Amino acid sequence: MKMTFRWYGPDSDSITLQQIKQIPGMTGLMGVLDSKAAGEVWEEGEIGAYMDQVQAAGLECQVIESVNVHEDIKLGLPSRDRYIENYCATIQNLARHGVKVIVYNFMPVFDWLRTDLARLIPEDGSNSLYFDEAQLGDMGPAELVRSTMEHTNGFTLPGWEPARLAELEDTLAQYRCVTNEDLLANYRYFLDGIIPTCEAEGVVMAVHPDDPAWPIFGLPRIAHSQEGFDQILALRDSPSNALCLCTGSLASDPANDIPAMIRHFGGMGRVACLHVRNVKHLGHRRFREAAHLSAAGDLDMFQIMQAIYDTCPHAYIRPDHGRMIWGEQGRPGYGLYDRALGAAYLNGLWEAIEKTGREQA
Ligand code: DNO
């Protein structure tokens, strides 16, 4: 297991590389260039500039997140070939800088979605990301985007690029007659276009689950259950076609048994990395993000780490979204303190599991 941390770069993150380096057991980053619009080539120069800083701080960056897939690819439009070519160029450029895993998603229009970015947790005065399906229905897509953009504390949000959301109405209209079957067919076309490049470059694609783990606003969604991921992996049977298993995204649907899913896909050698976080259900399709500790939410972090240890021990992991605690003002979900606590806790579980495993061997 390699413990990593998401960092948005010096111009976009409130957290410094030195702070990240000071978290015990932190080996590297899951990096991102958040200035890039979906479909654009990530140029070598800009990747190199990011990587130089990371290395100078004594960290490594073998995982890059949010190389976003252009909507034309998901919609299956003729212009997709140009964007697939760009995607392949980005894969090659990233590989030249030592990237081994690329995290992406195949969610139409929206990446992750919440109805409140700073919901008060009454027990301790901290706040966290929150979702309520009933509220979502009242708001509608345009209002949701407006409200989300207003509450970012001035930061960009991963997957919420303004250029893409500016065309929201048009994009939603284009999806009206796209079914899950169409989306899968378009997904296969995308994988057929990029996986040969990945194989040649030694890069693994890791698809992030739909978040929340069910269809929203009537849009097609296919990546939120074990069956869904089985289908996606079967679209292209290659070790380069793998998963970023995000525990919190999948666990928004209590029907998903997270340790069992890790064992299933880990056993197939198809878990490239994991986002590890906890979630607390408050009602039907209503939840908030919780501290990483098992007792703080509904997930058993010990069972999760044990499943990783048993089936995909070499995967990269990162503590995912944290709460805002100790008065921190930061990017929603991506403050320093609670994620650092999460990393320390997950490292503690890992040490215990590893030592117990060794004693039993
Ligand atoms: C949310 C993140 C996601 C993830 C993308 C990958 O906080 O986990 O935005 O990075 O879905 O494309």
Side-chain angles (χ1 to χ4, degrees), residues 6 65-66 68 103-105 107 111-112 158-159 208 275 318 320-321 334:
R6 186 168 188 159
E65 293 200 53
S66 298
N68 290 324
V103 181
Y104 72 109
N105 69 75
M107 288 178 252
D111 193 321
W112 59 276
H208 186 279
H275 292 170
R318 69 165 172 80
D320 201 7
H321 305 170
Y334 287 95

Short mmCIF file of all heavy atoms in Angstrom, two decimals, residues 6 65-66 68 103-105 107 111-112 158-159 208 275 318 320-321 334, ligand 1:
data_model
loop_
_atom_site.label_atom_id
_atom_site.label_comp_id
_atom_site.label_asym_id
_atom_site.label_seq_id
_atom_site.Cartn_x
_atom_site.Cartn_y
_atom_site.Cartn_z
N ARG A 6 -4.10 14.08 -2.10
CA ARG A 6 -4.41 14.85 -3.31
C ARG A 6 -3.90 16.29 -3.16
O ARG A 6 -4.17 16.95 -2.16
CB ARG A 6 -5.92 14.86 -3.56
CG ARG A 6 -6.27 15.52 -4.88
CD ARG A 6 -7.73 15.27 -5.25
NE ARG A 6 -7.97 15.75 -6.59
CZ ARG A 6 -8.98 15.35 -7.35
NH1 ARG A 6 -9.82 14.46 -6.91
NH2 ARG A 6 -9.14 15.83 -8.56
N GLU A 65 -5.08 12.34 -11.09
CA GLU A 65 -6.55 12.23 -11.07
C GLU A 65 -7.20 13.21 -12.01
O GLU A 65 -6.61 14.23 -12.37
CB GLU A 65 -7.06 12.57 -9.67
CG GLU A 65 -6.66 11.60 -8.63
CD GLU A 65 -7.56 11.68 -7.41
OE1 GLU A 65 -8.79 11.61 -7.56
OE2 GLU A 65 -7.01 11.80 -6.31
N SER A 66 -8.45 12.92 -12.31
CA SER A 66 -9.31 13.86 -13.02
C SER A 66 -8.76 14.27 -14.39
O SER A 66 -8.75 15.44 -14.74
CB SER A 66 -9.58 15.11 -12.17
OG SER A 66 -10.25 14.74 -10.99
N ASN A 68 -10.17 14.45 -17.24
CA ASN A 68 -11.60 14.33 -17.52
C ASN A 68 -11.90 13.99 -18.98
O ASN A 68 -11.22 14.46 -19.88
CB ASN A 68 -12.33 15.61 -17.08
CG ASN A 68 -12.35 15.72 -15.56
OD1 ASN A 68 -12.47 14.71 -14.87
ND2 ASN A 68 -12.20 16.92 -15.04
N VAL A 103 -6.62 8.35 -12.83
CA VAL A 103 -7.98 8.23 -12.30
C VAL A 103 -8.90 9.13 -13.14
O VAL A 103 -8.58 10.30 -13.37
CB VAL A 103 -8.04 8.66 -10.82
CG1 VAL A 103 -9.45 8.51 -10.27
CG2 VAL A 103 -7.06 7.85 -9.99
N TYR A 104 -10.01 8.57 -13.57
CA TYR A 104 -10.95 9.33 -14.40
C TYR A 104 -12.34 8.84 -14.06
O TYR A 104 -12.51 7.94 -13.22
CB TYR A 104 -10.64 9.08 -15.89
CG TYR A 104 -11.03 7.68 -16.35
CD1 TYR A 104 -12.11 7.47 -17.20
CD2 TYR A 104 -10.34 6.56 -15.87
CE1 TYR A 104 -12.48 6.20 -17.60
CE2 TYR A 104 -10.72 5.28 -16.26
CZ TYR A 104 -11.79 5.11 -17.13
OH TYR A 104 -12.16 3.84 -17.50
N ASN A 105 -13.35 9.43 -14.66
CA ASN A 105 -14.70 8.88 -14.46
C ASN A 105 -15.45 8.94 -15.76
O ASN A 105 -15.05 9.64 -16.70
CB ASN A 105 -15.43 9.63 -13.34
CG ASN A 105 -15.77 11.04 -13.75
OD1 ASN A 105 -16.70 11.26 -14.54
ND2 ASN A 105 -15.03 12.01 -13.26
N MET A 107 -18.93 9.63 -15.77
CA MET A 107 -20.26 10.11 -15.38
C MET A 107 -20.69 11.21 -16.34
O MET A 107 -19.94 12.18 -16.53
CB MET A 107 -20.19 10.74 -13.98
CG MET A 107 -20.01 9.78 -12.85
SD MET A 107 -19.88 10.67 -11.25
CE MET A 107 -18.14 10.44 -10.87
N ASP A 111 -19.52 15.35 -12.17
CA ASP A 111 -18.65 14.44 -11.42
C ASP A 111 -19.40 14.22 -10.11
O ASP A 111 -20.63 14.16 -10.12
CB ASP A 111 -17.29 15.15 -11.25
CG ASP A 111 -16.18 14.25 -10.76
OD1 ASP A 111 -16.43 13.40 -9.91
OD2 ASP A 111 -15.04 14.39 -11.21
N TRP A 112 -18.77 14.13 -8.98
CA TRP A 112 -19.46 13.95 -7.71
C TRP A 112 -20.43 15.11 -7.46
O TRP A 112 -20.24 16.22 -7.97
CB TRP A 112 -18.43 13.85 -6.58
CG TRP A 112 -17.59 15.08 -6.52
CD1 TRP A 112 -16.48 15.33 -7.26
CD2 TRP A 112 -17.83 16.24 -5.74
NE1 TRP A 112 -16.01 16.57 -6.98
CE2 TRP A 112 -16.82 17.16 -6.04
CE3 TRP A 112 -18.79 16.59 -4.79
CZ2 TRP A 112 -16.74 18.40 -5.46
CZ3 TRP A 112 -18.72 17.83 -4.20
CH2 TRP A 112 -17.70 18.72 -4.54
N PRO A 158 -12.90 19.58 -7.95
CA PRO A 158 -12.55 18.58 -8.96
C PRO A 158 -13.78 18.13 -9.74
O PRO A 158 -14.79 17.76 -9.15
CB PRO A 158 -11.96 17.41 -8.14
CG PRO A 158 -12.50 17.60 -6.76
CD PRO A 158 -12.72 19.08 -6.58
N GLY A 159 -13.68 18.18 -11.06
CA GLY A 159 -14.78 17.72 -11.89
C GLY A 159 -15.84 18.79 -12.14
O GLY A 159 -16.83 18.54 -12.81
N HIS A 208 -13.29 5.97 -11.58
CA HIS A 208 -13.88 6.36 -10.29
C HIS A 208 -15.39 6.09 -10.35
O HIS A 208 -16.03 6.36 -11.36
CB HIS A 208 -13.62 7.86 -10.07
CG HIS A 208 -14.03 8.37 -8.74
ND1 HIS A 208 -15.32 8.71 -8.43
CD2 HIS A 208 -13.30 8.61 -7.62
CE1 HIS A 208 -15.37 9.14 -7.17
NE2 HIS A 208 -14.16 9.09 -6.66
N HIS A 275 -9.76 5.48 -2.95
CA HIS A 275 -10.04 6.66 -2.14
C HIS A 275 -10.75 6.10 -0.91
O HIS A 275 -11.79 5.46 -1.05
CB HIS A 275 -11.01 7.60 -2.84
CG HIS A 275 -10.45 8.27 -4.06
ND1 HIS A 275 -11.23 9.00 -4.94
CD2 HIS A 275 -9.18 8.34 -4.53
CE1 HIS A 275 -10.45 9.49 -5.90
NE2 HIS A 275 -9.21 9.09 -5.69
N ARG A 318 -5.53 6.89 -0.89
CA ARG A 318 -5.45 8.20 -0.24
C ARG A 318 -6.65 8.39 0.66
O ARG A 318 -7.74 7.86 0.40
CB ARG A 318 -5.35 9.34 -1.25
CG ARG A 318 -6.58 9.62 -2.10
CD ARG A 318 -6.41 10.99 -2.76
NE ARG A 318 -7.40 11.34 -3.75
CZ ARG A 318 -8.63 11.81 -3.49
NH1 ARG A 318 -9.06 11.92 -2.25
NH2 ARG A 318 -9.43 12.14 -4.48
N ASP A 320 -9.70 10.16 1.65
CA ASP A 320 -10.52 10.99 0.78
C ASP A 320 -11.10 12.12 1.62
O ASP A 320 -10.72 12.30 2.77
CB ASP A 320 -11.60 10.11 0.13
CG ASP A 320 -12.16 10.73 -1.14
OD1 ASP A 320 -11.63 11.76 -1.59
OD2 ASP A 320 -13.14 10.18 -1.67
N HIS A 321 -12.03 12.84 1.03
CA HIS A 321 -12.62 14.02 1.67
C HIS A 321 -12.56 13.99 3.18
O HIS A 321 -12.97 13.00 3.80
CB HIS A 321 -14.11 14.11 1.31
CG HIS A 321 -14.36 14.11 -0.16
ND1 HIS A 321 -15.61 14.00 -0.68
CD2 HIS A 321 -13.52 14.21 -1.22
CE1 HIS A 321 -15.54 14.03 -2.01
NE2 HIS A 321 -14.27 14.14 -2.36
N TYR A 334 -11.35 19.00 0.99
CA TYR A 334 -9.91 18.84 0.79
C TYR A 334 -9.08 19.74 1.70
O TYR A 334 -8.09 20.31 1.28
CB TYR A 334 -9.56 19.06 -0.68
CG TYR A 334 -10.01 17.90 -1.53
CD1 TYR A 334 -11.22 17.92 -2.21
CD2 TYR A 334 -9.23 16.75 -1.63
CE1 TYR A 334 -11.64 16.83 -2.97
CE2 TYR A 334 -9.64 15.66 -2.39
CZ TYR A 334 -10.85 15.72 -3.05
OH TYR A 334 -11.25 14.63 -3.79
C1 DNO B 1 -14.00 13.94 -5.74
C2 DNO B 1 -13.04 13.11 -6.47
C3 DNO B 1 -13.44 12.94 -7.90
C4 DNO B 1 -12.45 12.12 -8.71
C5 DNO B 1 -12.86 12.12 -10.17
C6 DNO B 1 -11.90 11.36 -11.04
O1 DNO B 1 -13.68 14.55 -4.78
O2 DNO B 1 -12.80 11.92 -5.86
O3 DNO B 1 -13.57 14.22 -8.45
O4 DNO B 1 -11.18 12.61 -8.61
O5 DNO B 1 -14.13 11.58 -10.32
O6 DNO B 1 -12.17 11.70 -12.35
#
